[in-house]
Amino acid sequence: MGGKVCAIIGFGPGLGTAYAEVFRDAGYSLGLLSRSGADLGGEEETNPSVRAFKCDAGNPDSLKDALASVQSELGPIDVVIYNADLAQFGSIEDVSEVHFEQSWRVGALGLFATAKLLGPQMSERGSGVIIISGATAALRGNVWTTAFAPSKSAQRTLANSLAKQLGPKGIHVAYLVIDGVIDTEDTRTNFAPNEPDEFFIKPAQIAETALMLARQDKSAWTFELDIRPFGEKW
Amino acid sequence: MGGKVCAIIGFGPGLGTAYAEVFRDAGYSLGLLSRSGADLGGEEETNPSVRAFKCDAGNPDSLKDALASVQSELGPIDVVIYNADLAQFGSIEDVSEVHFEQSWRVGALGLFATAKLLGPQMSERGSGVIIISGATAALRGNVWTTAFAPSKSAQRTLANSLAKQLGPKGIHVAYLVIDGVIDTEDTRTNFAPNEPDEFFIKPAQIAETALMLARQDKSAWTFELDIRPFGEKW
Amino acid sequence: MGGKVCAIIGFGPGLGTAYAEVFRDAGYSLGLLSRSGADLGGEEETNPSVRAFKCDAGNPDSLKDALASVQSELGPIDVVIYNADLAQFGSIEDVSEVHFEQSWRVGALGLFATAKLLGPQMSERGSGVIIISGATAALRGNVWTTAFAPSKSAQRTLANSLAKQLGPKGIHVAYLVIDGVIDTEDTRTNFAPNEPDEFFIKPAQIAETALMLARQDKSAWTFELDIRPFGEKW
Amino acid sequence: MGGKVCAIIGFGPGLGTAYAEVFRDAGYSLGLLSRSGADLGGEEETNPSVRAFKCDAGNPDSLKDALASVQSELGPIDVVIYNADLAQFGSIEDVSEVHFEQSWRVGALGLFATAKLLGPQMSERGSGVIIISGATAALRGNVWTTAFAPSKSAQRTLANSLAKQLGPKGIHVAYLVIDGVIDTEDTRTNFAPNEPDEFFIKPAQIAETALMLARQDKSAWTFELDIRPFGEKW
């Protein structure tokens, strides 16, 4: 392929697609990992630098297999974007043990498996970027985040631990604290059907910030930043 | 029994024993849960208000069985102290997937199972206390906390979520950020054999602060506090 | 006097009075500092261990003079409670430069002057307690805290710096993050006239927690804790 | 002029110069404010879109006069970068009351005066960017930051308050938590003479991130981000 390779774990409509488009337009080959195996609007058929793979981010073996496939088809992964997330909400009475575990698997264990596989490879090459789609729930719990907050906070401190371990080896780990509702067909229809445009975060803008992070010089890396729409109450 | 009941999950030498002694001396009956089923220096034989139970805090069924036994033998649990913790340290290369999961099971899933069982019961009675032995790793990751930080931060934001859900129902959830090395035979021998007395946190003093939290008036509850020895660099 | 001495900077109705009563009942002599020079319901006339002094906490010379008077009349100060606060709220358009400065003077400069005077004395004796009435605004800014948040956050990080400097010398510095409305005649009448009892933090309960902090063993000191009523949304 | 206008408060060698060069190269006219009145290597003489002004950032009148001069000579200010800072370090015994106050004046009062002047004007135009050069000391105090931490934390929570007030009016306020030593002639010579290149943050890279922030779409603004060199221990 020649170009750099970006793997997106948790590809899908909305933010996953925005990451894909922004990194493709920046010249990256794309490995798209999702439960459905969806690709970027069928682009896989015409564009050899876009490849889609089925995997379950909450299952380390499945995830590592898919990442290995990305590498065998496109080459070493330069940038991995960890975008998998169950985003299930509920009180302690609503959330079952299975949900609690599954949230953690997709949010934290999958990132661990990713780093376990790619960390040593990136360390050997002396470069690499790991970007995580995070949330404010990573910083504090709330009434409805019985499962979500523990999953996201585990993800964030794991990312923090990875940043400190892998940074000196040339690997940039960055955590996006996305604070607001992303503009997708789903959120527009189900979650916030009556909100104006300015209520939403445009996914392409999150992806642009991620691209900026991927391009930061190693003398001045950002580990963590927040992103929210200008009118958000916070 | 008549008196109030305190269950200590993750009983053992050091902090577990200190909690037991301080709450016993304050008049609580004790349910001591540990993997070994140890009791307080054999006190179980002579003191009917001390009961020890074998359980694995990382296994929700085992944990819920043991808590049910505490309740059937001693009565409803007024205070539960979640002190279970694997405290395994290592880099991403050292930590296996199994360790990563086990850390989370004992640190976070066990607290979830505890709250799932006791939360509704305490809510019904309109009172109860849930105290968690936490750590600074709950707030940030570090080079050696690949497994520990995600486990503790999941525990902390779960506690935070529980505090917000259960507080209005009269249940006080509190998180102790223990920042320093606790004075135990193990830490004195293996972890910090050459440190002076003042390097260590005395476990009885942590337990005294926990007792104070258990006694706070509901108009002025503390969710989170840090604890460290006076000479600690932080 | 014989007993220990507690100086309360920013004495007044509500929390100041609660601190005074709780520490008096615990056996402390009291030095009460306020702009009005008020004492504890006239107790000064009959109780030689209660002394009131006029001072402006935002004026270092005035404050240091009053603290020196406390010491000459009651003896060395063992515990100082920094409770001075303007608590002025407004947007950038509402807050004048004078207000902005005055908030900082009373919130942060006064604490600096207190520590500048008492820190070396307490260090020499190898013991002492400095407790600060803080607020959530110390951690983040909000729409109406243009003056208040900068004042409280300066106060908090100063306290944090003092804790790290003075802790190893035997001085316990602690910061109370009071999150909620304190039950006083003023807040009941003006700020929240229609709220139920349980909306408010009882000042005596904050003072009890402060007393507990003053009694913590130096092997297990708390720097920071939050306090809020059980029904508070946070 | 035609182009956009960027005012840099606290212009000087190192980071101030880097901001100037990066924003100049991005097409901005520059208003450079400093105590010495220095300009960008004499560029003022040949480049009509670079103007230098003498002012004391800790003196609101002086600062507001200089900002007014920028506007009368270059036009309305689109981006203001608050880079003024005394960066004085010392323990409570080292720091005088005058230093403590001066640190706050330059760190926090100057930002207040800037927002007081420019906030309403930017609000009226519905756009504007306020970027602040911050530090980790904004988040916590340390032994040597008796004056620095209170100044930076006041600055940060003020910025946070401004972000929440002014964001909905179209003004982007952003805070850079710069965690590390910036590569300047001064730090190379005096502060860290024996450190390798990779120890330092390149000022141009901080400025590039600031430019990225100034360009973020309002649907996805960042308030806060950290910046440190890849090898930094944190």
Side-chain angles (χ1 to χ4, degrees):
Chain A
M1 296 289 93
K4 290 195 163 189
V5 174
C6 172
I8 299 171
I9 298 168
F11 174 74
L15 184 52
T17 295
Y19 283 132
E21 290 172 348
V22 164
F23 279 79
R24 177 201 59 197
D25 293 351
Y28 285 81
S29 299
L30 300 179
L32 308 175
L33 281 62
S34 66
R35 263 177 298 188
S36 67
D39 88 0
L40 194 57
E43 191 170 325
E44 198 179 20
E45 288 178 33
T46 56
N47 185 345
S49 64
V50 174
R51 305 293 297 144
F53 303 88
K54 254 193 194 181
C55 84
D56 173 1
N59 178 332
D61 289 335
S62 164
L63 180 52
K64 288 195 270 192
D65 282 354
L67 288 169
S69 298
V70 171
Q71 294 188 310
S72 75
E73 297 198 21
L74 296 171
I77 293 169
D78 298 281
V79 175
V80 60
I81 298 179
Y82 197 85
N83 187 51
D85 202 334
L86 288 188
Q88 290 182 323
F89 299 93
S91 72
I92 182 77
E93 298 190 20
D94 304 327
V95 173
S96 70
E97 213 174 285
V98 169
H99 283 145
F100 189 78
E101 174 164 348
Q102 199 54 27
S103 269
W104 168 79
R105 287 194 170 276
V106 174
L109 182 62
L111 176 59
F112 176 82
T114 301
K116 189 90 184 164
L117 180 72
L118 298 184
Q121 300 177 12
M122 289 176 166
S123 295
E124 208 165 294
R125 296 201 307 273
S127 71
V129 178
I130 302 173
I131 292 173
I132 299 106
S133 296
T136 320
L139 304 169
R140 68 184 75 100
N142 237 311
V143 170
W144 297 103
T145 58
T146 314
F148 187 58
S151 164
K152 295 310 272 190
S153 57
Q155 183 186 67
R156 175 181 172 267
T157 56
L158 173 57
N160 197 193
S161 172
L162 294 171
K164 293 181 184 181
Q165 290 177 52
L166 302 178
K169 297 176 179 172
I171 302 169
H172 184 186
V173 181
Y175 194 78
L176 307 183
V177 179
I178 302 171
D179 184 17
V181 179
I182 299 173
D183 193 349
T184 66
E185 210 184 300
D186 180 53
T187 58
R188 287 279 192 170
T189 312
N190 300 313
F191 188 85
N194 302 312
E195 297 291 346
D197 281 8
E198 66 183 46
F199 173 81
F200 298 92
I201 309 183
K202 291 183 197 155
Q205 300 303 328
I206 299 175
E208 290 290 350
T209 291
L211 180 62
M212 179 284 299
L213 289 172
R215 286 172 168 170
Q216 276 186 322
D217 183 89
K218 71 199 288 189
S219 92
W221 276 349
T222 292
F223 167 63
E224 189 165 44
L225 54 73
D226 51 353
I227 293 179
R228 67 178 61 75
F230 73 104
E232 179 81 0
K233 294 268 176 298
W234 52 297
Chain B
M1 297 291 92
K4 290 195 163 189
V5 175
C6 172
I8 299 171
I9 298 169
F11 174 76
L15 185 52
T17 294
Y19 283 133
E21 291 173 346
V22 163
F23 278 79
R24 178 200 59 195
D25 293 351
Y28 285 83
S29 299
L30 299 179
L32 308 175
L33 282 62
S34 66
R35 263 177 296 187
S36 67
D39 87 0
L40 195 56
E43 191 170 326
E44 197 179 20
E45 288 179 32
T46 57
N47 185 344
S49 65
V50 174
R51 305 294 297 146
F53 303 88
K54 255 194 192 179
C55 84
D56 173 2
N59 178 332
D61 289 334
S62 163
L63 180 52
K64 288 195 270 193
D65 282 353
L67 288 169
S69 299
V70 172
Q71 294 187 310
S72 75
E73 299 199 19
L74 297 171
I77 294 169
D78 299 281
V79 175
V80 61
I81 299 180
Y82 197 86
N83 188 50
D85 201 334
L86 288 189
Q88 291 183 322
F89 299 93
S91 71
I92 183 77
E93 298 191 19
D94 303 326
V95 174
S96 71
E97 213 173 286
V98 170
H99 284 145
F100 189 77
E101 175 164 348
Q102 198 55 26
S103 269
W104 168 80
R105 287 194 169 275
V106 174
L109 182 63
L111 176 60
F112 176 82
T114 301
K116 189 88 183 164
L117 179 71
L118 298 184
Q121 300 178 12
M122 290 176 166
S123 295
E124 209 164 293
R125 296 202 307 275
S127 71
V129 178
I130 301 173
I131 292 173
I132 299 105
S133 295
T136 321
L139 304 168
R140 67 185 77 99
N142 236 310
V143 169
W144 297 103
T145 58
T146 315
F148 187 58
S151 165
K152 295 310 274 189
S153 58
Q155 183 186 67
R156 175 180 172 268
T157 57
L158 172 58
N160 197 193
S161 172
L162 293 170
K164 293 181 184 181
Q165 291 176 52
L166 301 178
K169 298 176 178 172
I171 303 169
H172 184 185
V173 181
Y175 194 80
L176 307 183
V177 179
I178 301 171
D179 183 18
V181 178
I182 298 173
D183 193 349
T184 66
E185 211 185 298
D186 179 54
T187 57
R188 287 278 192 171
T189 310
N190 301 312
F191 188 84
N194 302 312
E195 297 290 347
D197 281 7
E198 66 183 47
F199 173 80
F200 298 91
I201 309 183
K202 291 183 197 155
Q205 299 303 329
I206 300 175
E208 290 290 350
T209 291
L211 180 62
M212 179 283 300
L213 289 172
R215 287 173 167 169
Q216 278 185 321
D217 183 89
K218 72 201 285 190
S219 91
W221 276 348
T222 292
F223 167 63
E224 188 165 48
L225 54 73
D226 51 354
I227 293 179
R228 66 178 62 75
F230 73 103
E232 180 82 2
K233 294 266 178 298
W234 52 296
Chain C
M1 297 290 94
K4 291 196 163 188
V5 175
C6 172
I8 299 171
I9 298 169
F11 174 74
L15 185 52
T17 294
Y19 282 133
E21 291 173 348
V22 163
F23 279 79
R24 177 201 59 195
D25 292 352
Y28 285 82
S29 298
L30 300 178
L32 308 175
L33 282 63
S34 67
R35 263 177 297 188
S36 67
D39 89 0
L40 194 56
E43 191 170 326
E44 196 179 21
E45 289 178 32
T46 57
N47 185 344
S49 65
V50 174
R51 306 293 298 145
F53 303 89
K54 253 192 193 182
C55 85
D56 173 0
N59 178 332
D61 289 335
S62 163
L63 180 52
K64 288 195 270 192
D65 282 354
L67 288 170
S69 300
V70 172
Q71 294 188 309
S72 75
E73 298 199 18
L74 295 172
I77 293 169
D78 299 283
V79 175
V80 60
I81 299 179
Y82 198 85
N83 188 49
D85 202 333
L86 289 188
Q88 291 182 323
F89 299 93
S91 72
I92 183 78
E93 298 191 18
D94 303 326
V95 173
S96 71
E97 211 173 286
V98 169
H99 284 145
F100 189 77
E101 174 164 349
Q102 198 55 27
S103 268
W104 168 80
R105 286 194 169 276
V106 173
L109 182 63
L111 176 59
F112 176 82
T114 300
K116 189 87 183 166
L117 180 71
L118 299 183
Q121 299 177 13
M122 289 176 165
S123 295
E124 209 165 293
R125 295 200 309 275
S127 72
V129 178
I130 301 173
I131 292 173
I132 298 105
S133 295
T136 321
L139 304 168
R140 67 186 77 101
N142 237 311
V143 169
W144 297 103
T145 58
T146 315
F148 187 58
S151 164
K152 295 311 273 188
S153 57
Q155 183 186 68
R156 176 179 173 270
T157 56
L158 172 57
N160 198 194
S161 172
L162 294 170
K164 292 182 184 180
Q165 290 177 52
L166 302 178
K169 297 174 178 173
I171 302 168
H172 183 186
V173 181
Y175 194 78
L176 306 183
V177 178
I178 301 171
D179 184 17
V181 179
I182 298 173
D183 193 349
T184 67
E185 211 184 297
D186 180 55
T187 57
R188 286 279 192 170
T189 311
N190 300 312
F191 188 84
N194 302 313
E195 297 290 346
D197 282 8
E198 66 182 46
F199 173 79
F200 298 93
I201 308 183
K202 291 184 196 153
Q205 300 304 330
I206 299 175
E208 290 291 351
T209 292
L211 180 62
M212 178 284 300
L213 289 172
R215 287 172 166 170
Q216 276 185 322
D217 182 88
K218 71 200 290 190
S219 91
W221 276 349
T222 292
F223 168 63
E224 188 164 47
L225 55 73
D226 52 353
I227 293 179
R228 66 178 63 75
F230 73 103
E232 180 82 1
K233 294 265 178 300
W234 51 295
Chain D
M1 295 290 94
K4 290 196 162 188
V5 175
C6 173
I8 298 171
I9 298 169
F11 174 75
L15 184 52
T17 295
Y19 283 133
E21 291 173 347
V22 164
F23 278 79
R24 178 200 60 196
D25 293 351
Y28 285 83
S29 299
L30 300 179
L32 308 174
L33 282 64
S34 66
R35 264 177 298 188
S36 67
D39 89 359
L40 194 56
E43 190 170 326
E44 196 180 22
E45 288 178 32
T46 56
N47 185 343
S49 65
V50 174
R51 307 291 298 145
F53 303 88
K54 253 192 194 182
C55 85
D56 173 1
N59 177 332
D61 289 335
S62 164
L63 180 52
K64 288 195 270 194
D65 282 355
L67 288 170
S69 299
V70 172
Q71 294 187 310
S72 76
E73 298 199 20
L74 296 172
I77 294 169
D78 298 281
V79 175
V80 59
I81 298 178
Y82 197 85
N83 188 49
D85 201 333
L86 288 189
Q88 291 182 324
F89 299 92
S91 72
I92 182 77
E93 299 191 18
D94 303 327
V95 174
S96 70
E97 212 174 285
V98 169
H99 284 144
F100 189 78
E101 175 164 347
Q102 199 54 27
S103 268
W104 168 80
R105 287 195 170 276
V106 173
L109 183 63
L111 176 59
F112 176 82
T114 301
K116 190 89 183 164
L117 180 72
L118 299 183
Q121 299 176 12
M122 290 176 165
S123 295
E124 208 165 294
R125 296 201 307 273
S127 71
V129 178
I130 301 174
I131 291 172
I132 298 106
S133 296
T136 321
L139 303 169
R140 66 184 77 100
N142 236 312
V143 170
W144 297 103
T145 57
T146 315
F148 188 57
S151 164
K152 296 310 274 189
S153 57
Q155 183 186 69
R156 175 180 172 268
T157 57
L158 172 57
N160 197 194
S161 172
L162 293 171
K164 292 181 185 182
Q165 291 177 51
L166 301 178
K169 297 176 179 172
I171 302 168
H172 184 186
V173 181
Y175 194 78
L176 307 183
V177 179
I178 301 171
D179 183 17
V181 178
I182 299 173
D183 194 349
T184 67
E185 209 184 300
D186 180 54
T187 58
R188 288 279 192 169
T189 311
N190 300 313
F191 188 85
N194 302 314
E195 297 290 346
D197 281 8
E198 66 183 45
F199 173 80
F200 298 92
I201 309 183
K202 292 184 197 155
Q205 299 304 328
I206 300 175
E208 290 290 349
T209 291
L211 180 63
M212 178 284 299
L213 289 172
R215 287 172 167 169
Q216 275 185 322
D217 183 88
K218 72 200 288 190
S219 92
W221 276 349
T222 292
F223 168 63
E224 189 164 46
L225 55 74
D226 51 352
I227 292 178
R228 66 178 61 75
F230 73 103
E232 180 81 0
K233 292 267 177 297
W234 53 297

